[in-house]
Amino acid sequence: MKSILALSVVAMAVLGGCAPKGERTSPSATSQPTSDSPFHPTLAAGGESFVDSGRVVVAGRDAGDAVQVSSLIAASHAGGERLVIGFSRADGFPASTLGEVTVEFLRQTRVIRVHLPAEVVSTAITDNTFTGDYSDRAYVVRSRESAALYVDLHLRSAAVARPTVYSAPALVSIELQRGGSTLPPWPSVGARVVVLAPPRDGRTTYPIEVEGYARTFEANVVAELRQDGKIRAKAVTTAADYVSAWGEYRLRFTDGPRGPVQLFVGEHSAKDGSAEGVTADLFVEGSGQNP
């Protein structure tokens, strides 16, 4: 517990001594620790400018001592906000170094994705919600392909981002400021499932790729295309995790009903068989007969 509290203090120092979002800071807040702070993290690598889309490699070290995500903190910062991801070592104390980090700004899903080094294999926190102008919520997700972890920051409003990796202690900072093009509709978000694609309330065609992450029971994820109150197509898969982190999943519908349909993604209750998840309205274009 002491190590987690210490890391939280360090993270707040990197945030410039600012208060958690919801408490406004003075205009004099800075991005570096104040002179009387006992913490003086060194800048490992950072983006030179703010970006509104695309992929940025923010190099840490070849390998670090960070093995676990320990905190997700978002707070006000001069001119915007910062998300700070904290890490711990195998013994539970704050990590000093971090391997290579890659950041993707997936504007089409209003997500900033932080790919963590392979040696970061576990997490002490699975998600967090924020009340900021730009930061809405964050998830720690296990990838299907590599079993590696990444952190998805969901944006509340349009912003540009600048990622930075710190050493001593090991931290990833995502600085946010107003800017960039208008964001698309919100992803479909439920208590145990998030759907990033296809876009909610969007027009689409077959094949329909369904992507997101979940913490459904035993990682079972069900997707259904419904029309006129009936299930017209169904797909099932297993997410990459559900116990220790959110698990990434992918499903595909190669064919199904056209016109207005409802996409359901989630699970069926083991108790009474009821559907539990999220539903999005879609319009499927194209000719052909409905199944």
Side-chain angles (χ1 to χ4, degrees):
M1 178 62 72
K2 290 183 179 179
S3 63
I4 295 176
L5 291 174
L7 188 55
S8 296
V9 173
V10 173
M12 296 311 296
V14 173
L15 285 162
C18 54
K21 195 61 185 175
E23 301 176 27
R24 298 295 177 180
T25 58
S26 66
S28 61
T30 63
S31 61
Q32 297 296 326
T34 57
S35 58
D36 59 351
S37 170
F39 304 106
H40 298 279
T42 56
L43 181 66
E48 296 181 357
S49 59
F50 286 88
V51 297
D52 67 352
S53 63
R55 187 179 183 96
V56 179
V57 176
V58 187
R61 303 186 176 219
D62 292 339
D65 61 358
V67 299
Q68 183 180 63
V69 179
S70 57
S71 62
L72 298 170
I73 299 174
S76 299
H77 175 66
E81 295 170 12
R82 274 190 177 180
L83 170 76
V84 175
I85 308 171
F87 301 88
S88 59
R89 305 182 316 208
D91 59 8
F93 284 91
S96 296
T97 55
L98 194 63
E100 185 175 280
V101 174
T102 303
V103 179
E104 290 183 285
F105 199 144
L106 307 174
R107 202 170 193 90
Q108 71 276 15
T109 57
R110 51 193 308 151
V111 163
I112 297 174
R113 179 165 295 175
V114 182
H115 295 274
L116 302 178
E119 59 266 23
V120 179
V121 295
S122 64
T123 181
I125 181 171
T126 58
D127 51 76
N128 203 359
T129 57
F130 313 115
T131 59
D133 295 328
Y134 307 112
S135 307
D136 184 68
R137 62 189 67 210
Y139 299 88
V140 181
V141 185
R142 193 169 305 281
S143 169
R144 292 176 69 252
E145 282 77 14
S146 63
L149 293 175
Y150 60 82
V151 175
D152 267 10
L153 171 64
H154 290 222
L155 294 179
R156 187 182 298 270
S157 59
V160 291
R162 179 167 61 187
T164 304
V165 173
Y166 288 89
S167 294
L171 299 168
V172 174
S173 168
I174 305 296
E175 188 176 353
L176 301 171
Q177 290 186 357
R178 183 181 302 277
S181 57
T182 302
L183 295 176
W186 288 86
S188 298
V189 176
R192 293 195 297 273
V193 64
V194 174
V195 181
L196 297 179
R200 189 174 64 178
D201 301 325
R203 303 179 77 91
T204 187
T205 58
Y206 291 105
I208 298 175
E209 305 287 348
V210 183
E211 301 179 5
Y213 25 89
R215 298 198 72 192
T216 49
F217 182 63
E218 294 186 341
N220 294 317
V221 180
V222 177
E224 298 169 350
L225 293 179
R226 302 172 178 174
Q227 191 176 62
D228 300 327
K230 298 180 180 180
I231 299 174
R232 303 291 187 178
K234 182 176 180 178
V236 179
T237 192
T238 302
D241 199 342
Y242 80 102
V243 176
S244 61
W246 289 75
E248 186 180 62
Y249 67 83
R250 291 179 187 170
L251 293 152
R252 167 182 277 212
F253 290 98
T254 57
D255 199 6
R258 273 73 172 177
V261 301
Q262 286 188 318
L263 169 66
F264 166 80
V265 182
E267 60 187 327
H268 291 283
S269 171
K271 181 182 295 184
D272 57 13
S274 61
E276 299 175 349
V278 298
T279 302
D281 293 323
L282 304 174
F283 188 92
V284 183
E285 299 176 324
S287 59
Q289 295 184 352
N290 291 341

